[in-house]
Amino acid sequence: SSVSATPLCLSEFFSCSAVCFYFWLYVITSVYMSGVCLCSQEDSPQLHHQHTSPRERRAIRDNIYKNKRCRMETCFDFARCQSGFRVYIYPPQRGDEISETYQKILSSIEESRFHTKDPSRACLFILAVDTLDRDQLSAQFVQNVRSRIQSLPTWNDGRNHLIFNLYSGTWPDYTEDLGFEVGQAMLAKASADVVNFRTNFDISIPLFSKDHPLKGGGMGYLTLNDAPPSRKYLLVFKGKRYLTGIGSETRNALYHIHNGEDIILLTTCKHGKDWEKHKDSRCDRDNEEYSKFDYQELLHNSSFCLVPRGRRLGSFRFLEALQAACIPVILSNGWELPFSEVIDWRKAAIIGDERLLLQVPSITRSVGRDRILALRQQTQFLWDAYFSSVAKIVLTTLEIIQDRVDSHVSRSRFLWNSLPGGLYAIPQYSTDPAQFPFYYAILGKSPSQQFTAVIHTVTPLQSQISPVVKLIIAVAKSKFCAQIVVLWNCDKPLPPRNKWPSTSVPLTVIEGQTKTMSSRFFPHDVILSDAVLSLDEDSVLSTNEVDFAFIVWQSFPERIVGYPARSHYWDSSRSRWGYTSKWTNDYSMVLTGAAFYHRYYHYLFTHHVPASLLTMVDRMANCEDILMNFLVSAVTKQPPIKVTQKKQYKETMMTQGSKASRWADPDHFAQRQTCMNAFSHWLGFMPLVHSQMRLDPVLFRDQVSILRKKYRDIERL
């Protein structure tokens, strides 16, 4: 029995004081009622198999993990990564059967910025053989994996290879046997056991279903009006009750803490072909109670969700709880939690002990409202940042490995565990959180007090009255302007220096080597200020307009702040996104022809956006401004900010300069429609957010003397 696992001399027991007596009585009673073995953390419940001897289990484990001591420094060839972190996928061989889920993983890698088709440039190799389901009883089990892998010319005992696995072992023991030798390959594995997990080498991934979306994924369910944070139920669970075998101990004891009021823990015996052969006296009552409650209703109306182990250490309920903003209470001793190398799960979950099941109600009741709200908010961040799609799970895995390879520029845990997350904080830009705009508020930091104007020029410099000359003069007069950079993307030769106007701030002209539209957002080293004022050459802005927009941007440094606004809408007749330039109170984009944003977005645009989209923008010579809006809104989950311009302001880009024909061309507008849908397909969702907020200058409408107004010419007709 379970009690026998707790040796206690009776003479010692009865010689205890009254306090000691009742303490041991509580412990023994708890263990007996919960049916959970008092075993050490090293004696993970997964190893308590009833059908194999300890020697057999040890032999299986040693065979699987012949290279159990593998670490990056001993089993990984860093020399392969000298040309950068590139990932190669082996071409599929005839007869390879690839599941829908594994195809999602491969597609995520192929569409990532890491993918290469050249194995000689690869730092990491991915198998074309489907290794996700290694349960021999499963229809997805692939035969002859060992011979297929070992025949690969660059296998090299698995060195610099990454193997994905969701299910290992089979009934009744559910060992971690994959049916082939892993060798020196890294494992990205669900239900990873701490006993066999090779720290800082393997990666624990979550168990996700075949229906988990490739991209995008569902939004979290935490709404802004969830205050107070407590919900109808305190703790819920609904799932299978294993009558025998691995995983049965905890689930068979849940009825002890189920109270039918605020703690709803439901189990059913109805699973498996021969469940009735093993049914006990509680099955009929449990099955009846089980059918009274809807799982989704419980999930979305409880503060805490119990996540006990199943046959394996992980379960689908883990991700379901995260999405539902239901704080996971994890009872799965020995489970290496997903991405534990970088994620601090104490900020989003309660990690319990299977042996102390009866303490769970008191633990959850002791969590204060402030703590509940903080935990639930973190579940939503983690879900959206790393778990809402297969692509995010795969990219998080690859980014963790890249951090190991480039350890001198790896992300800190702060970057991984703070909005917007590690996937949007590229450490090659900086490892200092204070250099990223979205951490200013957390760190109590303010952006620099000056900006760099970057003017994109595609037409020849005709004379001193050219629009670009007037623009340079107006911008240079701003007291916040540190320098002006002209990007010469014109096909004509670069004019001599004396053709440019003299200014009180440094003027740098950079001739674009590729002369592409995407090059306007290249992170040039000459740009040193936090703020970038992006300008088209024919933008018409006064010095006051520049100053006011910059002051607004300083309060919102993570967003785009500027003048020309556009909007998107859903065209139900065509089942696609539409683009509109109509002047309304509603907008979702601020075009980069006259806008401020943080210089980090130049780096993110250049290094995060897939090369295929940049090629598309350059081929069309269009849409780079829309793509930047998509990127920033995807990072911030917020709309841009429109500021007020002069009343007589007209979008001169539509009526003057070399762009006249482009803006009047209906094909140009059609291209922008196409871009909207291509960009949303890349992300898997529409990131743009509608807004009606417009910021006006201080005293803009006050009836005061014109001389007291700070930005007088903005109001002038």
Side-chain angles (χ1 to χ4, degrees):
S1 69
S2 298
V3 179
S4 65
T6 313
L8 181 65
C9 177
L10 288 179
S11 61
E12 293 176 353
F13 182 84
F14 286 110
S15 65
C16 286
S17 65
V19 174
C20 180
F21 173 83
Y22 285 114
F23 169 76
W24 281 108
L25 180 62
Y26 171 78
V27 171
I28 294 176
T29 304
S30 299
V31 174
Y32 179 78
M33 292 179 68
S34 64
V36 180
C37 176
L38 282 177
C39 50
S40 66
Q41 181 73 9
E42 288 73 19
D43 262 347
S44 170
Q46 185 170 5
L47 301 180
H48 288 182
H49 307 306
Q50 302 173 2
H51 300 80
T52 54
S53 68
R55 177 179 296 179
E56 290 172 324
R57 294 196 299 272
R58 191 161 50 248
I60 291 173
R61 189 172 64 236
D62 291 345
N63 184 55
I64 301 168
Y65 294 96
K66 291 180 179 178
N67 296 277
K68 186 176 180 180
R69 297 189 178 183
C70 267
R71 298 295 181 267
M72 294 294 290
E73 58 271 18
T74 59
C75 294
F76 192 87
D77 184 5
F78 289 89
R80 279 191 170 273
C81 308
Q82 291 180 351
S83 61
F85 186 72
R86 298 287 179 267
V87 183
Y88 174 77
I89 301 175
Y90 287 101
Q93 302 297 316
R94 180 178 297 177
D96 280 348
E97 299 175 6
I98 298 179
S99 64
E100 180 183 352
T101 303
Y102 196 58
Q103 186 56 57
K104 289 179 181 179
I105 291 176
L106 299 182
S107 297
S108 300
I109 298 172
E110 289 171 346
E111 295 184 19
S112 74
R113 60 192 176 95
F114 302 120
H115 182 241
T116 180
K117 295 182 179 180
D118 183 358
S120 65
R121 299 184 64 233
C123 169
L124 191 67
F125 294 82
I126 307 294
L127 303 177
V129 181
D130 188 344
T131 57
L132 288 185
D133 194 340
R134 301 307 298 159
D135 186 336
Q136 297 178 21
L137 299 179
S138 171
Q140 303 289 340
F141 183 81
V142 178
Q143 303 288 341
N144 304 321
V145 168
R146 178 187 287 108
S147 59
R148 294 188 190 188
I149 291 177
Q150 292 181 346
S151 65
L152 296 173
T154 52
W155 172 244
N156 192 23
D157 194 32
R159 204 170 180 86
N160 287 56
H161 284 68
L162 177 65
I163 296 173
F164 287 90
N165 175 252
L166 294 180
Y167 306 97
S168 62
T170 190
W171 171 268
D173 300 310
Y174 294 97
T175 65
E176 295 198 284
D177 186 8
L178 300 182
F180 62 92
E181 292 78 24
V182 173
Q184 299 181 51
M186 289 180 284
L187 270 178
K189 190 178 189 308
S191 303
D193 189 333
V194 294
V195 174
N196 298 321
F197 185 79
R198 296 170 292 182
T199 306
N200 294 325
F201 191 72
D202 294 333
I203 294 179
S204 176
I205 63 175
L207 182 66
F208 56 91
S209 72
K210 64 179 182 179
D211 297 323
H212 207 55
L214 170 61
K215 297 179 182 179
M219 299 295 292
Y221 296 115
L222 181 62
T223 56
L224 295 177
N225 61 355
D226 279 356
S230 56
R231 291 175 167 177
K232 179 179 180 180
Y233 303 111
L234 174 71
L235 177 69
V236 299
F237 172 78
K238 187 177 182 182
K240 299 175 182 178
R241 177 159 75 86
Y242 303 121
L243 296 170
T244 60
I246 296 172
S248 62
E249 296 93 342
T250 300
R251 296 194 180 201
N252 272 329
L254 294 183
Y255 76 97
H256 289 297
I257 58 176
H258 165 80
N259 63 18
E261 297 176 357
D262 64 342
I263 298 180
I264 308 296
L265 306 177
L266 309 169
T267 57
T268 179
C269 303
K270 290 183 179 180
H271 57 89
K273 297 178 181 179
D274 54 352
W275 71 270
E276 290 187 286
K277 295 180 181 178
H278 303 284
K279 65 181 295 187
D280 56 23
S281 58
R282 285 198 351 257
C283 277
D284 290 336
R285 184 174 67 252
D286 285 354
N287 292 341
E288 181 181 357
E289 188 83 357
Y290 184 89
S291 62
K292 293 180 180 179
F293 291 85
D294 178 74
Y295 175 59
Q296 293 297 325
E297 193 270 338
L298 290 174
L299 195 66
H300 298 154
N301 289 281
S302 180
S303 296
F304 297 91
C305 283
L306 197 68
V307 184
R309 63 160 297 146
R311 292 302 194 190
R312 299 174 177 86
L313 293 173
S315 72
F316 296 140
R317 279 168 188 78
F318 182 67
L319 291 189
E320 291 168 349
L322 284 183
Q323 183 180 13
C326 189
I327 302 164
V329 179
I330 301 169
L331 294 182
S332 184
N333 291 9
W335 183 22
E336 184 74 23
L337 294 180
F339 303 137
S340 55
E341 183 176 336
V342 297
I343 293 178
D344 185 356
W345 283 109
R346 295 170 300 176
K347 294 182 177 180
I350 304 296
I351 304 174
D353 190 318
E354 292 180 79
R355 300 165 295 183
L356 302 176
L357 172 67
L358 299 188
Q359 293 186 10
V360 169
S362 60
I363 291 174
T364 52
R365 293 188 195 284
S366 68
V367 182
R369 286 187 170 186
D370 290 349
R371 176 73 174 147
I372 287 176
L373 182 58
L375 288 166
R376 290 178 62 196
Q377 288 174 335
Q378 193 71 358
T379 64
Q380 300 301 271
F381 158 61
L382 294 176
W383 163 260
D384 181 70
Y386 308 120
F387 299 108
S388 60
S389 67
V390 176
K392 286 184 178 178
I393 293 172
V394 172
L395 287 176
T396 303
T397 302
L398 296 181
E399 294 279 6
I400 290 173
I401 298 174
Q402 186 192 31
D403 273 8
R404 296 173 183 171
V405 173
D406 300 328
S407 57
H408 60 292
V409 289
S410 60
R411 302 165 182 83
S412 64
R413 286 179 73 89
F414 175 85
L415 295 181
W416 282 107
N417 290 277
S418 303
L419 284 165
L423 300 187
Y424 286 127
I426 301 180
Q428 284 71 25
Y429 170 79
S430 177
T431 57
D432 180 7
Q435 298 300 315
F436 296 90
F438 24 78
Y439 298 127
Y440 286 166
I442 299 176
L443 301 175
K445 182 183 181 298
S446 299
S448 58
Q449 299 299 307
Q450 291 184 305
F451 67 83
T452 298
V454 178
I455 304 175
H456 185 239
T457 306
V458 295
T459 57
L461 191 63
Q462 301 289 356
S463 66
Q464 291 299 312
I465 61 171
S466 295
V468 67
V469 174
K470 294 180 180 180
L471 183 61
I472 291 173
I473 293 172
V475 172
K477 290 180 181 179
S478 170
K479 60 183 178 181
F480 304 113
C481 183
Q483 61 176 329
I484 297 175
V485 176
V486 176
L487 300 180
W488 187 259
N489 273 359
C490 179
D491 294 332
K492 301 295 183 181
L494 184 68
R497 184 65 183 85
N498 60 8
K499 294 293 184 181
W500 297 96
S502 58
T503 58
S504 58
V505 298
L507 175 65
T508 304
V509 181
I510 300 176
E511 186 170 13
Q513 295 180 351
T514 59
K515 291 183 170 55
T516 58
M517 295 302 291
S518 63
S519 66
R520 73 177 299 175
F521 298 133
F522 186 80
H524 294 285
D525 293 337
V526 70
I527 303 174
L528 300 177
S529 61
D530 292 337
V532 172
L533 172 57
S534 175
L535 294 165
D536 284 343
E537 60 186 336
D538 51 3
S539 297
V540 180
L541 289 178
S542 67
T543 304
N544 271 352
E545 287 175 307
V546 171
D547 286 350
F548 173 60
F550 178 67
I551 289 175
V552 172
W553 176 85
Q554 286 184 305
S555 297
F556 305 94
E558 75 281 6
R559 302 205 224 175
I560 297 177
V561 175
Y563 290 99
R566 297 289 184 271
S567 189
H568 75 286
Y569 65 94
W570 178 251
D571 187 346
S572 57
S573 63
R574 299 184 179 182
S575 297
R576 56 177 293 176
W577 293 106
Y579 170 89
T580 178
S581 59
K582 292 181 180 179
W583 283 51
T584 66
N585 289 330
D586 191 273
Y587 67 91
S588 58
M589 291 173 279
V590 167
L591 304 186
T592 54
F596 281 97
Y597 51 77
H598 196 280
R599 69 187 177 106
Y600 172 62
Y601 292 125
H602 276 180
Y603 193 91
L604 196 63
F605 185 95
T606 302
H607 296 286
H608 179 78
V609 175
S612 59
L613 291 187
L614 298 180
T615 301
M616 174 185 175
V617 165
D618 294 336
R619 185 181 69 253
M620 291 182 173
N622 196 355
C623 302
E624 82 289 348
D625 48 359
I626 298 177
L627 183 53
M628 178 62 87
N629 273 269
F630 266 70
L631 182 62
V632 176
S633 290
V635 172
T636 63
K637 305 294 187 294
Q638 298 181 89
I641 292 177
K642 176 175 171 53
V643 289
T644 299
Q645 67 271 350
K646 293 189 297 291
K647 289 185 178 180
Q648 78 272 26
Y649 177 82
K650 300 296 182 184
E651 295 192 70
T652 53
M653 64 183 73
M654 299 179 67
T655 58
Q656 66 174 241
S658 65
K659 293 184 181 179
S661 60
R662 187 165 76 108
W663 284 93
D665 185 358
D667 289 341
H668 173 80
F669 193 83
Q671 285 178 343
R672 293 172 82 77
Q673 301 266 22
T674 301
C675 290
M676 296 280 292
N677 291 277
F679 300 160
S680 60
H681 175 74
W682 159 51
L683 292 168
F685 67 101
M686 170 53 73
L688 300 180
V689 181
H690 285 281
S691 175
Q692 294 184 351
M693 183 173 74
R694 185 192 69 184
L695 296 184
D696 295 339
V698 178
L699 303 178
F700 181 69
R701 295 193 179 278
D702 287 358
Q703 298 300 318
V704 297
S705 168
I706 189 66
L707 297 177
R708 289 176 55 194
K709 298 201 173 190
K710 192 171 184 180
Y711 302 102
R712 296 190 294 273
D713 66 338
I714 296 181
E715 186 178 3
R716 187 178 303 136
L717 290 173

